[in-house]
Amino acid sequence: MKIIFLNIFVLIFTAHLTAQTYSISGKITDTENKPLIGVNIILTGTGYGTSSDQNGDYEIIELTNGNYNLKFSAVGYDNVFRNITIKDKSILMNVTMTEKAVETQQVIVTAGKREQYITDLPVSADVIPSGEFSKKNFSNLENALRYVPGVNMTEDQISIRGSSGYSRGAGSRVLLALDGIPFYTGDTGETIWEMIPTPVIQRVEIIKGAASSLYGSTAIGGVINVITNDIPEKPATFFNSFIGMYDKPAHSEWRWSDENRYYNGLTLAHAQKFGGFGIEASLTRLEDMSYKQNGFSHKYIGFLKGKFEINPASTITILANTLNKKGGNFYYWKDSRHALIPADDQQGQTIKTSRYLFGAVYKNVINQDLLLNVKTSYYRTDWNDTSPAMDKSLTNLYRGEVQVNKSFSDEVVIVTGIEGLSSNVKSNLFGNPDMISGGIYVQGDISYFSPLTISAGIRYDYSRLDSLKGENALSPKIGLNYKLTDDLILRSSAGTGFRAPSLAEAFTSTTASGIIIKPNPDLKSETNFTFEIGAGYLPSDYFNLDAALFQSEYYDFIEPRIDPADGLAVFSNVTRARIQGVETDIKSDLFKKSLSLSLSYTYLWTRDLNKQKALKYRPRHIFAGSIDYYLWNFDLGTDFRYWSRIEEIDDELVRIINDGDLRAEVYVLDLRASYNFSSLGIPASLFLNADNVLNYNYVELIGNLKPVRNYSLSLQFNF
Amino acid sequence: MVYLKRIILPVLFILILISSGCDKGIEPRSTDDIPGFGGRITFIGTWPDSVQRTHIVVFDSLLEDANDFNIFNLKFISDALPYGVPGYDFDSRDSAIIQIEPGSFSYVAVVQQKTVDLSLLRKDWTVIGIYYAYGDTTHPGKLDIPDKYFVKNINIRCDFNNPPPQPPGG
């Protein structure tokens, strides 16, 4: 074994040291000669590239003599292509990019585990750009997702096109990934949105509908992939500080504190390259006194990304993401007259959490047509609370994946891979179970019959939860993309998804607020079949309309219920469900981009076919709107969202929580203003936000009032 | 300024319309509107040392056989009553483990348990008092709670030396 490692080491470093190499560098500007930050520069056919730094400068190093095709791409700009020949000297090449009014050529890496234009996909997808987090002062990814078409949140649980209801801390039907590395806990299978520091996010890609044919379990409702910043060529430092204050509650009965309730945050990040090695480190501290009694939280979020360029064709990227949190417990209110005070049994309870994710990605462009991607990760969670049950859990989750992308021609691309994971838990809640699972997948994208692109894939998964019987799942999917005209793109896809139960759903044994939860050794995977047909209409650079019809059939839906035999709560395969809906999304830029409008509407018809009732926690109507007005260095904006009143909630919980039946439609209006000081030579921006300015009172989950009106001031520096 | 007139002002107008058109959402519920019941629980005799908790419970229908004891028939569980007291005035609108809703109920009782955690298994329950209406101790009294109405004088006598008949299935 030592000899093998030694040989690999020698091979890598002799290749690195002996080749005579050159570089391509330059500055990228817009038509007004302003530097463009974050432009992707790719040597096409190799997947190798970089991105421009804070000054618009870029540099691709360690290139040997030869011909190279460069592609420059950036959100909101037309792509630029250049053919370059390197012969015994480095090349200096400046590029000017032209603004595009609407982001029609957004590049997505999640839908097919490779770079594709969003207009080439057979499925619906959305992108949240990094700027959204700054201008709306979102320190948690969860908040930004509430404005994505077709998405609704019930507290921290996400539902894409009605995929999920709410089961506190047990399982998710949407897969979160960080730079392609799946990111859910080993015990509960839940998504911890607050763990990802928003300043390191370059963009968030959202794939809607079952994606199990590539991603396996958990992706039954869709995938959210957080792409982190590229490490710039020149050193860059980022600093952000904000302070906010909650207004008084709308009703005098709810005023439980005479103190002003504040929240604040601080982020310091730095990125730098040292030759072939680049590093980005970020530390965030967030404090929230909360508008709710015992709702406080203190968080420290760490992030580290290191990228080592072994040679022009291969890189190793390491990731580390940590969260240390202490917070109070507020499961639900005492009653509607004390809506911001927790029930008596939660008073004074706290929870401490430590979570650590470590990942490594090895990427090797073996040749122009062959790419190798190896991903490994380790996710450790450790939490304990001070409830009478003294619940605690320690989990280790190990994961590995090998992926190969092969282009047989410009018209045929195959993506295939194999993936495995192992998890072990030590907990008084779940016992000490372990879990293993593995999958193998292949997907082909064929564009022989232009303008038709056919995408077909299949994945086989095996999973076993401790003593439960192992289960197999086969998840096929087929998709079509047809460019009817230059302006009108049709797409359609059909496929199956599955979700293995989490260890928490199968093995939880605890008592909480009078409910005794027992394990279910007979729990099996849930499956679905999803179908969608959609169209994108882009008649001009200033207008983009997208619409989709979708339907999902769910089988063996896992939900908590009361076992009539003993009165205990248990997770069971109880429901056969159907979800149908329409989603529309309009984006428009007017008056030379000085005014941007975005509107989306989703209609959801959900049905529990056993009970002939709507599914729990799904609003029938979801609307979101956003307006931005740019004037000189000012940006004035407003966001509005509406969800219709939830039809069905947990009846069992209503019996336990005082006034638990109270709920209302959601009207949330946010206002914001920002000023960019760059024209004064100061690399800073100031943001002022007023959220829920109507001070509207609503819940997403029974007995949990969402934030009252609050104001924040944020200052950001980019050095 | 043209943009301001043509776009911003109409948008602001729409936003103001929206904000003035919608209410404030969830509001505190008046205690007058909350249905419930209350009364005096009287304890006679010495409290057993082994008792871990005491609750008032309400069942939809009578417990005539073991199958009637199930979670769907159980409509109310009060919070635990204090140990060792000679009497206790209760109000179902105070926090409870399972809330009561308007309806007609056939069996109201005071029960005790010896288990560490609250148990919903019949074998863990001992009935120490039953609500009887109008002094008729031959049948459990019926409790009728109209919508938005609080029923008073649901008084229950618990005699540790002379417990009432136990429901089947224990």
Side-chain angles (χ1 to χ4, degrees):
Chain A
M1 185 61 83
K2 277 184 182 175
I3 293 170
I4 293 170
F5 279 126
L6 190 63
N7 282 338
I8 292 171
F9 183 84
V10 169
L11 275 172
I12 288 171
F13 283 91
T14 48
H16 187 68
L17 294 172
T18 56
Q20 179 66 50
T21 62
Y22 306 97
S23 67
I24 302 173
S25 61
K27 182 184 274 295
I28 305 171
T29 54
D30 63 13
T31 48
E32 295 175 1
N33 211 29
K34 290 181 180 171
L36 290 178
I37 305 164
V39 176
N40 290 314
I41 306 106
I42 296 171
L43 297 177
T44 56
T46 69
Y48 185 67
T50 185
S51 60
S52 60
D53 64 15
Q54 301 292 321
N55 300 312
D57 294 329
Y58 75 96
E59 184 177 22
I60 303 174
I61 58 174
E62 299 190 352
L63 299 172
T64 53
N65 283 336
N67 287 318
Y68 296 94
N69 291 311
L70 272 78
K71 186 176 96 178
F72 298 78
S73 62
V75 174
Y77 292 85
D78 287 325
N79 291 337
V80 173
F81 297 90
R82 292 283 188 274
N83 183 270
I84 297 291
T85 300
I86 292 181
K87 191 173 181 185
D88 299 334
K89 65 174 184 178
S90 294
I91 302 287
L92 175 67
M93 185 175 62
N94 297 329
V95 169
T96 300
M97 298 184 73
T98 307
E99 275 188 72
K100 184 163 50 186
V102 179
E103 298 161 9
T104 54
Q105 289 297 304
Q106 174 72 53
V107 172
I108 291 265
V109 297
T110 310
K113 291 195 172 183
R114 68 186 185 92
E115 287 199 345
Q116 292 172 285
Y117 289 121
I118 200 167
T119 49
D120 290 341
L121 300 180
V123 296
S124 296
D126 262 295
V127 173
I128 305 173
S130 63
E132 291 290 294
F133 298 98
S134 296
K135 72 182 183 184
K136 296 178 181 174
N137 194 26
F138 288 152
S139 55
N140 190 337
L141 169 58
E142 172 192 326
N143 295 330
L145 293 168
R146 285 184 169 82
Y147 293 88
V148 174
V151 172
N152 76 286
M153 305 287 295
T154 306
E155 295 294 315
D156 59 350
Q157 293 203 341
I158 186 169
S159 174
I160 296 181
R161 292 178 173 173
S163 63
S164 302
Y166 188 82
S167 56
R168 191 186 293 273
S172 171
R173 294 191 179 94
V174 173
L175 176 71
L176 172 69
L178 182 66
D179 283 331
I181 296 174
F183 198 4
Y184 55 83
T185 59
D187 49 4
T188 57
E190 65 182 320
T191 301
I192 311 297
W193 306 104
E194 62 187 354
M195 193 163 167
I196 300 173
T198 53
V200 306
I201 295 175
Q202 186 196 67
R203 67 180 188 276
V204 180
E205 300 181 359
I206 298 127
I207 307 299
K208 301 171 187 176
S212 296
S213 62
L214 268 182
Y215 289 92
S217 180
T218 303
I220 190 169
V223 178
I224 293 181
N225 191 8
V226 177
I227 311 295
T228 62
N229 294 328
D230 287 327
I231 298 166
E233 289 301 319
K234 293 190 175 173
T237 300
F238 171 88
F239 171 80
N240 174 275
S241 177
F242 70 85
I243 185 164
M245 189 183 85
Y246 295 103
D247 205 340
K248 293 207 165 23
H251 300 283
S252 57
E253 298 98 310
W254 293 351
R255 291 176 193 168
W256 59 274
S257 172
D258 293 330
E259 285 182 31
N260 290 327
R261 314 300 298 176
Y262 296 102
Y263 55 94
N264 67 80
L266 196 66
T267 296
L268 183 61
H270 182 75
Q272 190 160 358
K273 272 195 173 178
F274 305 93
F277 179 69
I279 190 166
E280 178 180 14
S282 152
L283 182 64
T284 299
R285 191 201 69 180
L286 300 170
E287 286 186 333
D288 188 355
M289 291 172 74
S290 183
Y291 59 101
K292 297 192 285 196
Q293 191 181 47
N294 207 43
F296 72 94
S297 64
H298 304 286
K299 302 179 206 171
Y300 288 90
I301 306 167
F303 179 83
L304 182 70
K305 179 178 182 178
K307 188 172 183 180
F308 179 56
E309 295 168 354
I310 301 166
N311 59 48
S314 58
T315 58
I316 291 177
T317 303
I318 55 164
L319 289 170
N321 187 188
T322 66
L323 170 70
N324 294 88
K325 176 183 175 183
K326 182 180 180 184
N329 267 350
F330 191 111
Y331 290 136
Y332 51 82
W333 63 36
K334 185 181 174 73
D335 56 49
S336 66
R337 292 163 303 289
H338 305 86
L340 301 179
I341 295 176
D344 293 343
D345 62 346
Q346 296 151 33
Q347 280 286 1
Q349 282 184 23
T350 58
I351 186 164
K352 280 185 182 174
T353 309
S354 300
R355 301 178 190 274
Y356 307 93
L357 175 80
F358 301 99
V361 179
Y362 172 68
K363 184 177 177 183
N364 186 1
V365 183
I366 297 167
N367 60 47
Q368 287 198 4
D369 302 321
L370 191 61
L371 171 75
L372 172 69
N373 230 337
V374 182
K375 300 173 195 165
T376 62
S377 65
Y378 166 59
Y379 189 6
R380 178 187 172 91
T381 61
D382 183 3
W383 57 265
N384 57 75
D385 66 32
T386 60
S387 68
M390 299 294 284
D391 288 327
K392 59 185 177 182
S393 181
L394 174 64
T395 309
N396 296 299
L397 176 69
Y398 307 89
R399 179 187 291 276
E401 180 181 359
V402 177
Q403 178 196 332
V404 175
N405 294 6
K406 170 72 177 167
S407 301
F408 289 96
S409 67
D410 287 346
E411 288 85 20
V412 179
V413 179
I414 300 291
V415 175
T416 184
I418 186 166
E419 186 177 3
L421 72 85
S422 163
S423 172
N424 59 69
V425 179
K426 286 185 171 42
S427 168
N428 65 326
L429 270 174
F430 320 123
N432 300 323
D434 56 41
M435 174 183 69
I436 58 162
S437 75
I440 183 166
Y441 59 86
V442 60
Q443 176 169 304
D445 296 321
I446 302 157
S447 49
Y448 268 129
F449 317 103
S450 181
L452 175 68
T453 300
I454 301 169
S455 174
I458 191 165
R459 174 167 167 141
Y460 166 77
D461 279 277
Y462 172 80
S463 61
R464 185 179 58 75
L465 272 66
D466 202 68
S467 55
L468 306 192
K469 190 181 169 190
E471 285 193 271
N472 303 288
L474 207 56
S475 308
K477 188 166 189 177
I478 186 163
L480 305 172
N481 178 291
Y482 187 79
K483 295 183 175 59
L484 200 61
T485 66
D486 287 345
D487 302 335
L488 185 59
I489 300 160
L490 306 179
R491 63 177 186 275
S492 182
S493 67
T496 65
F498 90 105
R499 185 177 76 91
S502 66
L503 289 170
E505 286 164 309
F507 295 108
T508 295
S509 176
T510 189
T511 301
S513 300
I515 298 179
I516 305 171
I517 305 168
K518 67 174 183 178
N520 181 0
D522 299 321
L523 200 60
K524 58 184 180 182
S525 296
E526 59 186 18
T527 59
N528 74 349
F529 171 79
T530 64
F531 170 78
E532 79 158 309
I533 183 166
Y537 179 53
L538 308 90
S540 79
D541 287 345
Y542 304 102
F543 184 78
N544 182 354
L545 168 66
D546 194 276
L549 284 167
F550 55 86
Q551 175 160 346
S552 297
E553 300 285 334
Y554 282 87
Y555 305 88
D556 297 320
F557 229 26
I558 298 172
E559 289 207 332
R561 69 180 180 96
I562 302 294
D563 185 345
D566 54 17
L568 306 184
V570 63
F571 284 95
S572 306
N573 300 99
V574 290
T575 310
R576 165 84 172 85
R578 177 171 297 150
I579 298 171
Q580 297 170 321
V582 182
E583 185 182 303
T584 57
D585 181 19
I586 298 171
K587 291 186 177 73
S588 182
D589 289 320
L590 304 169
F591 312 118
K592 296 179 181 176
K593 283 197 78 176
S594 63
L595 188 70
S596 292
L597 293 171
S598 170
L599 301 170
S600 72
Y601 169 73
T602 305
Y603 174 80
L604 276 179
W605 185 85
T606 68
R607 214 68 185 162
D608 179 329
L609 296 178
N610 294 343
K611 297 178 182 171
Q612 285 301 319
K613 296 199 302 193
L615 292 170
K616 297 171 190 170
Y617 297 109
R618 275 83 163 180
R620 184 171 290 208
H621 305 279
I622 303 172
F623 171 82
S626 178
I627 303 170
D628 274 281
Y629 179 61
Y630 305 97
L631 178 67
W632 193 39
N633 292 315
F634 285 101
D635 174 6
L636 304 174
T638 182
D639 301 287
F640 176 74
R641 63 187 171 90
Y642 164 80
W643 297 350
S644 59
R645 183 176 183 270
I646 301 288
E647 292 168 56
E648 295 294 329
I649 54 177
D650 286 306
D651 292 334
E652 294 82 6
L653 284 178
V654 170
R655 296 174 63 191
I656 291 168
I657 300 172
N658 290 319
D659 303 324
D661 59 318
L662 284 179
R663 58 195 188 277
E665 55 274 84
V666 173
Y667 297 94
V668 177
L669 179 69
D670 302 332
L671 300 176
R672 54 194 151 75
S674 68
Y675 183 81
N676 189 327
F677 294 92
S678 59
S679 61
L680 305 175
I682 304 168
S685 297
L686 188 69
F687 302 89
L688 179 64
N689 293 75
D691 294 341
N692 190 11
V693 293
L694 304 178
N695 211 11
Y696 187 81
N697 307 307
Y698 67 102
V699 296
E700 290 174 352
L701 179 65
I702 296 173
N704 275 272
L705 205 70
K706 295 303 289 179
V708 298
R709 179 167 48 218
N710 60 95
Y711 316 93
S712 67
L713 185 66
S714 172
L715 184 61
Q716 182 173 301
F717 288 91
N718 286 292
F719 300 107
Chain B
M1 290 306 287
V2 176
Y3 303 154
L4 189 72
K5 282 182 185 169
R6 289 187 183 170
I7 304 293
I8 300 296
L9 289 179
V11 167
L12 284 175
F13 178 69
I14 290 167
L15 292 177
I16 290 166
L17 268 185
I18 290 170
S19 61
S20 60
C22 58
D23 57 25
K24 285 289 178 186
I26 291 171
E27 294 184 345
R29 185 173 272 162
S30 164
T31 51
D32 298 338
D33 294 340
I34 300 175
F37 67 104
R40 174 82 178 167
I41 311 295
T42 308
F43 296 97
I44 297 166
T46 307
W47 282 67
D49 291 339
S50 56
V51 168
Q52 291 285 337
R53 72 185 57 75
T54 304
H55 297 275
I56 301 161
V57 295
V58 174
F59 284 87
D60 200 359
S61 52
L62 288 171
L63 303 181
E64 293 177 331
D65 65 52
N67 291 333
D68 290 330
F69 190 95
N70 66 67
I71 190 72
F72 301 106
N73 194 22
L74 178 60
K75 297 300 180 186
F76 174 78
I77 302 180
S78 71
D79 275 348
L81 274 51
Y83 178 85
V85 295
Y88 184 74
D89 292 316
F90 80 93
D91 183 331
S92 69
R93 296 173 301 187
D94 296 339
S95 59
I97 293 172
I98 294 180
Q99 301 293 314
I100 195 83
E101 291 175 5
S104 185
F105 308 97
S106 299
Y107 190 77
V108 182
V110 177
V111 300
Q112 292 187 323
Q113 292 190 344
K114 297 174 182 176
T115 53
V116 175
D117 294 319
L118 175 65
S119 169
L120 297 179
L121 300 178
R122 169 67 190 90
K123 67 180 178 60
D124 295 326
W125 291 46
T126 302
V127 177
I128 58 160
I130 296 174
Y131 168 64
Y132 296 108
Y134 312 114
D136 178 5
T137 57
T138 58
H139 293 93
K142 213 168 175 62
L143 169 64
D144 291 309
I145 303 177
D147 193 20
K148 298 183 179 179
Y149 192 82
F150 183 79
V151 181
K152 297 175 184 173
N153 288 321
I154 304 300
N155 305 317
I156 302 175
R157 173 188 163 96
C158 303
D159 187 345
F160 290 115
N161 301 316
N162 186 22
Q166 297 298 303

